[in-house]
């Protein structure tokens, strides 16, 4: 439990740092200033929102009888706001196209190196790509 | 001749349910707004259920889809399971249809 507390503290610090950077960007763009308290509040909100997102994504994946969260689940999460859904869909299409390119490259390389892979392995490679891009 | 209009919940029923929960006098105009809201609610509900059903690779809406929906609405949580809500808000005859009950002779009604 103590270890868990320390981990969440570190996570919170990381979120706080990133929120600070984003707020600074907005501050320069809009020519306003953020007080330290407001940045702290935004980072706390972000942290709690992540908990909600994680729970909902898990629920959506389980609903589709999967154990891995994919982009479809994320799209479902963003359904409540039309503009957000549009944005997320666009981003996921971009991701998918870059993934396809990478996959093509990999396939050429691997087929040149050691022949065709089994379908299962290919799928695993794709999900790995998605994960690394999502982070 | 009356115009055929979209199917909707009976006004009297909406009125009855709403006034049961508000426990306060409500004007006629306010009830009209509540009716409009109900219509909107059902539109949104059907869109959501369609999305959840197709997400699970089905064309039929099932209880699981409704549970996911109610979780998203914050009605069903870890502390408030669907069965408790059913027991609390639905009349006995509907509860019987939804919640399996073990009967004598090791039978479960309704069987799944």
């Amino acid at each position: 439990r103590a270890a868990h507390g320390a981990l969440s503290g570190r996570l919170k610090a990381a979120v706080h740092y990133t929120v600070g950077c984003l707020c600074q960007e907005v501050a320069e763009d809009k020519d306003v200033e953020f007080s330290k308290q407001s940045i702290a509040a935004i980072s706390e909100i972000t942290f709690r929102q992540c908990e909600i997102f994680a729970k909902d994504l898990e629920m959506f994946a389980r609903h589709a009888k999967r154990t891995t969260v994919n982009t479809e689940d994320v799209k479902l999460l963003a359904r409540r706001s039309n503009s957000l859904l549009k944005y997320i869909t666009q981003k996921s299409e971009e991701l998918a196209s870059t993934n396809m390119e990478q996959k093509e490259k990999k396939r050429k390389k691997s087929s040149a190196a050691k022949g065709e892979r089994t379908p299962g392995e290919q799928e695993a490679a794709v999900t790995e790509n998605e994960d690394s891009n999502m982070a | 001749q009356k115009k055929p209009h979209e199917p909707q919940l009976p006004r009297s029923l909406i009125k009855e349910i709403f006034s049961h929960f508000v426990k306060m006098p409500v004007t006629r105009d306010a009830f009209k707004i509540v009716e409009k809201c109900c219509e909107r609610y059902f539109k949104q509900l059907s869109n959501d259920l369609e999305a959840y059903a197709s997400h699970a690779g089905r064309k039929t809406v099932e209880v699981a889809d409704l549970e996911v929906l109610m979780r998203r609405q914050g009605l069903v949580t870890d502390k408030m399971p669907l069965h408790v809500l059913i027991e609390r808000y639905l009349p006995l005859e509907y509860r019987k249809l939804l919640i399996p009950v073990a009967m004598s002779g090791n039978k479960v009604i309704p069987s799944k």
Side-chain angles (χ1 to χ4, degrees):
Chain A
R1 171 145 280 226
H4 182 258
L7 180 64
S8 87
R10 279 174 58 192
L11 286 175
K12 270 186 189 173
V15 171
H16 191 277
Y17 173 73
T18 313
V19 166
C21 294
L22 289 172
C23 281
Q24 205 179 354
E25 261 178 46
V26 174
E28 280 165 15
D29 188 41
K30 305 279 177 204
D31 206 23
V32 288
E33 281 194 30
F34 285 88
S35 67
K36 276 187 180 165
Q37 285 90 342
S38 59
I39 293 176
I42 294 171
S43 65
E44 187 66 30
I45 290 168
T46 310
F47 195 80
R48 303 232 177 135
Q49 191 64 46
C50 282
E51 289 174 15
I52 300 170
F53 280 166
K55 271 189 188 165
D56 282 350
L57 285 173
E58 195 188 338
M59 173 177 74
F60 290 145
R62 208 181 322 128
H63 181 67
K65 296 190 176 62
R66 275 186 273 104
T67 49
T68 319
V69 172
N70 68 12
T71 49
E72 286 305 307
D73 301 322
V74 180
K75 276 187 211 161
L76 216 53
L77 192 75
R79 268 189 85 247
R80 277 186 181 173
S81 156
N82 265 331
S83 51
L84 184 62
L85 182 60
K86 225 187 231 173
Y87 182 78
I88 297 267
T89 313
Q90 190 194 331
K91 286 282 166 196
S92 88
E93 276 164 12
E94 283 172 23
L95 260 183
S97 60
T98 52
N99 268 343
M100 284 295 275
E101 281 169 24
Q102 282 178 2
K103 202 175 156 189
E104 285 295 309
K105 275 183 196 168
K106 268 199 179 171
R107 189 177 283 167
K108 276 175 193 166
K109 269 188 198 169
S110 65
S111 59
K114 52 182 172 176
E116 278 296 310
R117 281 207 231 173
T118 61
E121 272 176 348
Q122 265 173 12
E123 257 177 34
V126 172
T127 48
E128 266 171 29
N129 280 338
E130 270 173 20
D131 288 347
S132 60
N133 279 322
M134 294 293 279
Chain B
Q1 185 106 30
K2 271 187 188 174
K3 259 197 223 169
H5 49 75
E6 287 184 16
Q8 60 169 15
L9 285 181
R11 282 194 185 139
S12 57
L13 183 65
I14 294 175
K15 203 170 166 180
E16 195 184 323
I17 294 170
F18 193 72
S19 45
H20 171 79
F21 284 106
V22 286
K23 302 182 183 71
M24 219 190 269
V26 181
T27 60
R28 194 173 292 196
D29 288 348
F31 274 126
K32 274 187 187 160
I33 296 173
V34 173
E35 274 172 33
K36 279 262 165 63
C37 291
C38 279
E39 216 180 290
R40 284 248 184 140
Y41 178 72
F42 274 96
K43 265 184 196 156
Q44 184 65 43
L45 190 87
S46 39
N47 276 336
D48 287 349
L49 286 175
E50 190 192 350
Y52 294 141
S54 64
H55 180 71
R58 281 187 265 104
K59 283 187 174 176
T60 319
V61 174
E62 287 183 2
V63 179
D65 301 317
L66 209 74
E67 194 173 346
V68 167
L69 181 85
M70 288 174 82
R71 248 180 214 279
R72 273 292 268 176
Q73 290 172 341
L75 295 171
V76 174
T77 56
D78 292 341
K79 284 177 188 163
M80 179 57 70
L82 183 60
H83 278 187
V84 175
L85 287 175
I86 290 171
E87 274 171 14
R88 193 170 291 175
Y89 293 108
L90 290 187
L92 191 60
E93 59 263 37
Y94 294 125
R95 198 200 298 180
K96 270 185 190 164
L97 296 175
L98 291 167
I99 301 179
V101 178
M103 304 293 273
S104 64
N106 204 17
K107 269 189 261 174
V108 175
I109 296 175
S111 56
K112 283 208 171 176

